Amino acid sequence: MTEPKTSHIRELQDTTHALREDVQKLGKISKEVAYETLDHLRENAAGYYKEGLDKAKSMEHNLEEQIQKHPLRSVLIAAGVGCFLGILMKKR
């Protein structure tokens, strides 16, 4: 059997080493992209949470204003909703 040429062995070792470095670089880049994406998602989630909280507070304020402007109508609506829910629960 003939032995492989030393130059081919060296080329194979060099290529394997280069491949290993490329895979490590690829892993590092993938990790950085994942962290950047996670940071971006966190920022968006925080923004959506704050926006939702602001809308909920605004709705609460508007509801309180409507109750103060029309107290009798508010009580009648609440009574009607309560009766409706009572009927639904009684049927179960």
Side-chain angles (χ1 to χ4, degrees):
M1 233 186 220
T2 60
E3 291 188 26
K5 292 185 177 180
T6 307
S7 64
H8 289 139
I9 292 173
R10 184 66 191 156
E11 182 181 357
L12 180 61
Q13 289 172 337
D14 291 344
T15 303
T16 303
H17 181 70
L19 179 61
R20 184 180 312 125
E21 287 179 352
D22 288 346
V23 169
Q24 288 174 344
K25 285 180 187 176
L26 181 59
K28 182 181 176 186
I29 292 169
S30 297
K31 180 180 173 183
E32 290 171 0
V33 168
Y35 278 121
E36 287 174 3
T37 302
L38 183 61
D39 287 342
H40 180 71
L41 291 174
R42 280 188 187 137
E43 290 171 7
N44 284 346
Y48 289 138
Y49 174 77
K50 184 180 179 328
E51 186 178 316
L53 195 59
D54 291 344
K55 284 184 181 182
K57 286 180 182 180
S58 175
M59 288 175 64
E60 178 184 20
H61 179 72
N62 290 339
L63 181 61
E64 287 176 356
E65 281 183 1
Q66 289 300 315
I67 290 171
Q68 289 175 359
K69 286 181 184 177
H70 309 286
L72 181 59
R73 181 173 33 168
S74 300
V75 169
L76 292 174
I77 290 171
V81 170
C83 287
F84 178 72
L85 291 174
I87 291 169
L88 285 178
M89 290 183 178
K90 189 174 182 179
K91 288 185 178 184
R92 286 186 173 189

